[in-house]
Amino acid sequence: MHKTIKVLLFIYIGVLFLRLNLNAKEITSISTDTISIENKILQVGFELGTGYYFVREKVSGDILFRDATMQIGFWNISNKELVTNRYAEIFQVHDKLGKGQSLKIISKIIDKNRRWHPDSPGKFDLELTITLYEGMSGLILECGITNHLQRSILVKDFAPILNAQLWPGDKEHKNPLTLDGHGAYGGAREMINDTGAHGHAKEGRGQNAVMAGLSRSSENNLLLTYTNENKRRSFVAGGLTYHDFLKRVKVDTIDDQKVTASIKGYDPVGRMVDAGSHYHIPDRFYVDLTTSDPFKTLEQYAKVAACAQPAAPNLYNFPTVCLWYAMLTTGKNCNQTVGAVEEMKHAKESNFLRYSPVAIRLVPDKYLGNTEQGWWDDEHWHKFGHYKKPYETSEKYCHAIIDLGGLPFTYLQPGMPSDDFAKTHPEWMLNNNIKYLPLAHDHEKPYVRFDYSDSDFQEYVKNVWDTLRMAGLKGVMFDYPETGFAGEGGLENPYYTATAAYRKMFELARNGLGPHAFIHERNLGEVSTTTSLPHERIPFSDMTLGLADSQRNETDASWFNSSQVSRAALRWYKNRVFYSYDLDAKSLLFKDLGGNVDENIGDPIIRRRSILTMLYIVSGRILLADSFKDYSSQIIHDLSRLYPMHEERRTSRPVDLFKQSSYDCPRVYQFSVNPQWHQVTFFNPDMEKKATVSAPLSGDAVSSGALNLDPDSDYYVYDFWNNNLVGRYTGTDTLSLELIPGEARMLSVRETVSHPQILSSDRHIMQGLIELSDIHWDDIAKSLSGIVNVVADEPLRIIIANNGLIPLNAQSSDGMIEIEKSEENPNLTVLKLELSNNKRITWQINFQ
């Protein structure tokens, strides 16, 4: 029979089968061996005869990728030796991502190699579903499998895209760059090769980095960008949802001519699929090759993933004092409930609470032998000295902190059981086994660990968190959570993957403490070797997406350096969207973990302000290693300039990250308030030498690190910390400043207008974004007015450019207001306001 007739016959049989499928909302009539769906941006076509699919951009007609196939385990839907039939289903979708259309391909598989059973060939249905949403430039991919065997199987990996050729029509790949999406700091990792087996290739540090070339592999997500005939190409792919599997994205090149991409979900334990059952894999991927701007495409990816998961991390709009660090830097044992309450009193006495609350983190961190871990109750926290009278219970500790205006936090080690707890509940340990409990081990590498798939243990942990919520606890740090990753197996529930069990650890805390609690994950990963324990190979994953609010990316580090900045900055698109990234506690007194003061910091005021600036810009979480009692009024003032933080789920772009000079650490950051107003940060990452930091005001950020402003406009640049006008620039100028070692400058860049305008405020580092609103110029009355939030007993100054007019008088709805002439520049006027209490008031200044 002719090949074409065979294909059509298979298709016809498939269509007849689908007409009997009650789950199909719409059946496609097929007249060729290619079936497709499309929106206004993309067309996806699947070749039923070969098992390959492609994506085309509709406007340009460019093929974005082709020859893609799908694979689950060993079974690839393009393998002619395995596939007996393929058929398709098209249906409409309407969910949280919007309206769209899905194409589902079902491939009937017979494994003639009999991998699973010696007596009968393996039979499976593999599913690939591709969804296009209206107006979305990316596509969503998911998979499923039906097991027709008479025995269960384990699904350890799946690949919705395998070896797709990207932009096959491109003749050149100029200046190819990649940016990885690793979750945290760490050492070499075990990689998962394309067959799903464990390889032991070392891929280097976990620190995010821009690298040149067309080959790269990364956990979570990956960016590739290059130019072809002056047209920029950008490929972004990554995990969209996290439930049962980790995610990995890989790009590679063949003979420097073809660029290929693969995306994979994997888990070292795998998901059990029973005989005769169907498993729809809940883990999905996002892929975009249409959005050429690498900044925009990464930001779009993060927003879509946050919506799909969903994820909306609670923002840390307050500083947190870590008592473990304060114990080291002060030299006093304040890491217990009495010390916690005393620290909260110091914070209140400093008058900092005028700006925001303060969180106090207790750290009950007994290690090895009999400890608090696993018991997690008042009795054991008191027994080991972390709960002391009169605050010997969680309720007393929490209420004392709350009554003083603070937020009570605590700490636990979720995978390191106390010896006596393990002996009491061996059935709650992995493999129900405590045989190796007596073996000597490092504190963070226990041989006996909790089983978070065990339903009885889950109920026990749920009660722990319910009790702490009722006591008033507002937040928790999970330390050494990698010990909760059961990569070696031994889970009680056979339907749990290692990933799912790890997520359950956080899910129990989230459900118990409630949606507004602050959950922190210390996600550092571990060095992978052939002799290390499986749970020590935990990847730097986003698998807690939607459960954790913050991720710590650093080892213990009360000091500050540029590598910490870089690790968070290069995940700017996920910051405040997936997590707030934690650079660990920082000493504003420049003390190390031994309490010694760093003598090589240069100007302490500039260094402290630089630390605070960069924490705000790249992290959004301020964790303090000092006690408030040791902070001067100057330090309190500088810290208060960060609060309250902005509530938008975005952060500053590192606009120069694709410049080779900034690969180690970006130097220029941009937060666009609106097209006319940009908050720009200059940072010198060299802690020993001066450096000149520059940015063209107009031009392309990817190629030149420019701010992409209007070349035909003029701009004022005002320096926040130095409280001075840097200058007035044309849109074609380059802004260039010399910075001392480690210095950061916060600059407000505002387009000039023909009437008086605000340039800055001394209240907040964002120079008007937080404290000022409803700014209005009345051209008839020649008045500038607005609303301002004033802090009690603190003068607030608004800097105004007169732009040719003369200030006459000013008035406010409450408090004192006066006009101060700038000694620096006759074109500037300073409006000073002062109140005796925190209040929102109106103000107006009149001109002639």
Side-chain angles (χ1 to χ4, degrees):
M1 188 180 297
H2 194 276
K3 179 180 178 181
T4 303
I5 296 176
K6 285 184 177 181
V7 170
L8 290 175
L9 181 59
F10 283 143
I11 294 170
Y12 178 73
I13 294 171
V15 171
L16 287 178
F17 179 87
L18 280 176
R19 289 189 183 279
L20 299 176
N21 185 350
L22 297 179
N23 293 323
K25 299 180 180 178
E26 178 181 335
I27 307 303
T28 298
S29 175
I30 304 170
S31 59
T32 69
D33 65 347
T34 298
I35 183 169
S36 67
I37 59 173
E38 60 184 51
N39 59 16
K40 293 182 179 180
I41 304 171
L42 300 171
Q43 177 197 20
V44 176
F46 191 96
E47 300 168 357
L48 289 167
T50 65
Y52 292 101
Y53 66 100
F54 65 87
V55 176
R56 185 196 312 273
E57 185 179 30
K58 291 182 66 176
V59 173
S60 67
D62 291 346
I63 296 293
L64 303 181
F65 69 77
R66 72 180 184 195
D67 299 337
T69 186
M70 183 271 273
Q71 182 169 300
I72 296 181
F74 297 100
W75 294 279
N76 188 306
I77 62 172
S78 67
N79 191 324
K80 295 179 180 180
E81 299 300 318
L82 300 179
V83 179
T84 63
N85 195 10
R86 302 184 192 91
Y87 53 95
E89 171 185 339
I90 292 179
F91 53 92
Q92 305 300 313
V93 295
H94 189 185
D95 55 28
K96 65 183 72 174
L97 294 181
K99 294 181 180 180
Q101 194 176 51
S102 292
L103 169 62
K104 179 187 287 188
I105 302 298
I106 301 173
S107 301
K108 309 291 288 185
I109 300 288
I110 292 182
D111 183 0
K112 298 176 182 177
N113 293 321
R114 301 177 181 177
R115 299 179 191 274
W116 290 106
H117 198 280
D119 300 324
S120 62
K123 296 182 180 180
F124 308 93
D125 291 348
L126 304 187
E127 295 180 1
L128 169 67
T129 302
I130 307 168
T131 302
L132 297 179
Y133 287 92
E134 294 177 4
M136 185 183 293
S137 60
L139 57 149
I140 311 300
L141 301 115
E142 52 196 305
C143 297
I145 185 170
T146 301
N147 177 18
H148 294 296
L149 293 177
Q150 295 181 3
R151 56 169 293 179
S152 299
I153 62 171
L154 278 176
V155 174
K156 287 194 170 187
D157 58 87
F158 69 100
I161 293 181
L162 190 63
N163 299 325
Q165 184 181 352
L166 305 184
W167 296 290
D170 285 0
K171 297 179 181 179
E172 57 186 13
H173 308 93
K174 287 186 177 180
N175 191 28
L177 299 170
T178 58
L179 172 62
D180 62 324
H182 289 297
Y185 173 90
R189 293 174 299 281
E190 181 176 41
M191 296 172 60
I192 304 298
N193 66 29
D194 285 341
T195 65
H198 290 281
H200 297 288
K202 293 184 177 181
E203 203 186 45
R205 302 298 287 179
Q207 177 173 340
N208 297 126
V210 173
M211 292 185 179
L214 293 166
S215 298
R216 193 82 179 271
S217 182
S218 174
E219 296 295 322
N220 306 320
N221 57 275
L222 183 68
L223 163 75
L224 166 68
T225 187
Y226 65 83
T227 58
N228 170 63
E229 298 178 341
N230 297 320
K231 183 176 183 179
R232 178 157 296 283
R233 303 292 199 185
S234 291
F235 162 78
V236 161
L240 186 75
T241 56
Y242 286 82
H243 297 281
D244 288 345
F245 292 90
L246 304 165
K247 310 296 187 300
R248 178 171 286 274
V249 182
K250 180 181 180 181
V251 293
D252 209 344
T253 180
I254 302 173
D255 300 327
D256 294 326
Q257 298 294 323
K258 296 181 179 180
V259 180
T260 62
S262 299
I263 59 178
K264 179 183 287 269
Y266 70 96
D267 186 87
V269 171
R271 171 58 156 80
M272 179 81 75
V273 181
D274 287 336
S277 68
H278 172 74
Y279 172 48
H280 176 260
I281 302 174
D283 295 71
R284 296 184 286 166
F285 281 90
Y286 173 92
V287 178
D288 186 357
L289 296 93
T290 306
T291 308
S292 61
D293 185 327
F295 294 101
K296 290 182 180 179
T297 189
L298 283 167
E299 290 163 2
Q300 287 174 184
Y301 156 66
K303 289 178 181 178
V304 175
C307 179
Q309 183 67 29
N314 295 308
L315 302 179
Y316 290 73
N317 203 354
F318 48 83
T320 305
V321 176
C322 177
L323 294 179
W324 183 83
Y325 273 102
M327 176 178 64
L328 297 176
T329 58
T330 63
K332 298 180 180 179
N333 182 21
C334 56
N335 188 26
Q336 30 77 14
T337 53
V338 172
V341 176
E342 288 300 312
E343 180 56 35
M344 190 61 228
K345 290 178 180 178
H346 295 317
K348 185 174 183 178
E349 290 165 359
S350 74
N351 285 325
F352 184 83
L353 300 186
R354 295 180 297 173
Y355 307 99
S356 80
V358 170
I360 306 296
R361 185 167 77 192
L362 187 67
V363 184
D365 66 335
K366 174 73 175 176
Y367 298 96
L368 295 175
N370 294 332
T371 71
E372 301 125 309
Q373 307 310 321
W375 299 111
W376 300 319
D377 59 18
D378 293 348
E379 175 187 349
H380 289 83
W381 281 320
H382 177 67
K383 176 181 177 180
F384 289 100
H386 290 107
Y387 279 13
K388 291 190 174 183
K389 292 183 178 181
Y391 313 110
E392 72 275 19
T393 69
S394 295
E395 184 175 8
K396 290 180 179 180
Y397 156 59
C398 292
H399 284 190
I401 298 296
I402 293 170
D403 289 345
L404 289 167
L407 301 170
F409 284 15
T410 195
Y411 159 110
L412 58 80
Q413 298 157 0
M416 299 159 61
S418 170
D419 284 1
D420 57 357
F421 185 87
K423 291 175 182 177
T424 304
H425 297 287
E427 73 280 8
W428 291 351
M429 305 298 127
L430 292 174
N431 295 300
N432 297 326
N433 190 343
I434 60 170
K435 176 181 178 181
Y436 299 109
L437 192 65
L439 293 184
H441 59 85
D442 292 339
H443 68 275
E444 78 277 18
K445 297 180 180 180
Y447 292 101
V448 175
R449 299 181 291 116
F450 300 119
D451 180 357
Y452 279 92
S453 78
D454 187 293
S455 59
D456 291 335
F457 183 58
Q458 290 176 4
E459 186 64 26
Y460 170 81
V461 176
K462 178 181 180 297
N463 291 332
V464 168
W465 293 118
D466 286 343
T467 300
L468 289 171
R469 183 194 70 250
M470 291 186 288
L473 190 72
K474 303 301 182 185
V476 62
M477 174 188 179
F478 280 23
D479 204 3
Y480 306 102
E482 66 275 4
T483 56
F485 188 75
E488 72 275 43
L491 296 167
E492 182 81 11
N493 190 325
Y495 303 101
Y496 267 68
T497 63
T499 303
Y502 186 87
R503 280 184 57 84
K504 177 59 72 171
M505 183 167 69
F506 287 83
E507 181 186 323
L508 291 166
R510 173 58 69 204
N511 292 341
L513 291 180
H516 303 298
F518 294 86
I519 298 178
H520 173 65
E521 175 189 20
R522 179 182 181 265
N523 182 359
L524 301 190
E526 291 291 335
V527 172
S528 170
T529 68
T530 55
T531 58
S532 63
L533 297 175
H535 74 267
E536 295 167 22
R537 306 170 193 161
I538 185 171
F540 315 106
S541 176
D542 291 336
M543 61 180 150
T544 55
L545 181 63
L547 297 174
D549 299 298
S550 62
Q551 277 189 347
R552 174 172 153 187
N553 318 120
E554 295 298 324
T555 55
D556 295 345
S558 58
W559 53 87
F560 171 78
N561 60 39
S562 60
S563 65
Q564 299 166 2
V565 172
S566 183
R567 272 188 284 276
L570 272 63
R571 286 189 297 276
W572 88 94
Y573 54 97
K574 293 193 279 191
N575 193 26
R576 304 172 73 90
V577 181
F578 283 17
Y579 309 97
S580 290
Y581 291 113
D582 176 10
L583 278 60
D584 199 27
K586 293 291 168 273
S587 173
L588 301 184
L589 302 171
F590 318 114
K591 293 183 178 181
D592 63 21
L593 298 184
N596 302 306
V597 177
D598 185 352
E599 301 292 344
N600 301 314
I601 58 168
D603 187 315
I605 295 177
I606 293 178
R607 177 59 62 88
R608 181 164 45 245
R609 289 173 172 178
S610 298
I611 294 171
L612 293 173
T613 300
M614 298 315 297
L615 288 176
Y616 189 100
I617 289 301
V618 304
S619 168
R621 186 177 187 195
I622 312 299
L623 187 63
L624 299 172
D626 313 301
S627 170
F628 266 84
K629 72 178 178 60
D630 296 325
Y631 283 168
S632 65
S633 59
Q634 177 67 59
I635 296 176
I636 294 295
H637 170 273
D638 290 350
L639 179 62
S640 70
R641 301 306 93 175
L642 277 59
Y643 295 99
M645 292 185 171
H646 67 277
E647 297 180 353
E648 292 182 72
R649 296 197 176 277
R650 63 185 178 105
T651 191
S652 297
R653 283 182 180 178
V655 295
D656 65 332
L657 73 90
F658 296 109
K659 293 177 61 178
Q660 187 171 0
S661 59
S662 296
Y663 285 1
D664 59 334
C665 182
R667 290 151 170 78
V668 181
Y669 302 80
Q670 181 179 16
F671 185 100
S672 295
V673 179
N674 56 52
Q676 291 75 42
W677 176 11
H678 306 264
Q679 289 298 114
V680 176
T681 307
F682 277 12
F683 175 56
N684 175 14
D686 193 322
M687 298 295 162
E688 298 179 356
K689 299 178 182 178
K690 292 182 179 180
T692 298
V693 179
S694 302
L697 293 187
S698 59
D700 174 53
V702 180
S703 59
S704 66
L707 302 179
N708 196 27
L709 305 186
D710 184 355
D712 298 323
S713 297
D714 290 349
Y715 295 88
Y716 285 114
V717 179
Y718 201 91
D719 185 328
F720 176 75
W721 290 115
N722 292 306
N723 192 28
N724 73 285
L725 180 67
V726 176
R728 181 170 176 171
Y729 297 80
T730 67
T732 57
D733 286 340
T734 293
L735 179 61
S736 184
L737 299 175
E738 185 178 76
L739 276 59
I740 70 168
E743 183 181 6
R745 300 268 190 99
M746 176 59 89
L747 308 166
S748 188
V749 180
R750 304 193 189 221
E751 185 177 341
T752 61
V753 295
S754 60
H755 55 74
Q757 65 183 113
I758 292 175
L759 299 186
S760 184
S761 161
D762 68 352
R763 166 63 190 89
H764 195 278
I765 194 172
M766 294 299 280
Q767 294 174 265
L769 177 64
I770 304 300
E771 69 277 27
L772 300 177
S773 60
D774 295 334
I775 307 302
H776 175 69
W777 168 255
D778 187 329
D779 197 46
I780 297 176
K782 295 292 186 284
S783 65
L784 186 67
S785 61
I787 297 175
V788 60
N789 293 320
V790 181
V791 174
D793 301 320
E794 177 182 280
L796 183 149
R797 290 175 171 84
I798 302 171
I799 294 87
I800 299 169
N802 300 329
N803 290 346
L805 300 186
I806 301 173
L808 290 178
N809 52 59
Q811 54 267 355
S812 63
S813 60
D814 198 0
M816 296 177 56
I817 186 169
E818 62 178 291
I819 296 174
E820 298 179 342
K821 292 185 178 180
S822 171
E823 298 179 359
E824 170 200 344
N825 191 318
N827 184 43
L828 300 183
T829 292
V830 178
L831 195 61
K832 178 183 175 183
L833 302 99
E834 193 167 359
L835 285 170
S836 58
N837 59 327
N838 285 15
K839 193 173 182 180
R840 190 169 183 257
I841 64 172
T842 61
W843 59 269
Q844 178 175 307
I845 179 172
N846 302 304
F847 293 84
Q848 70 176 17

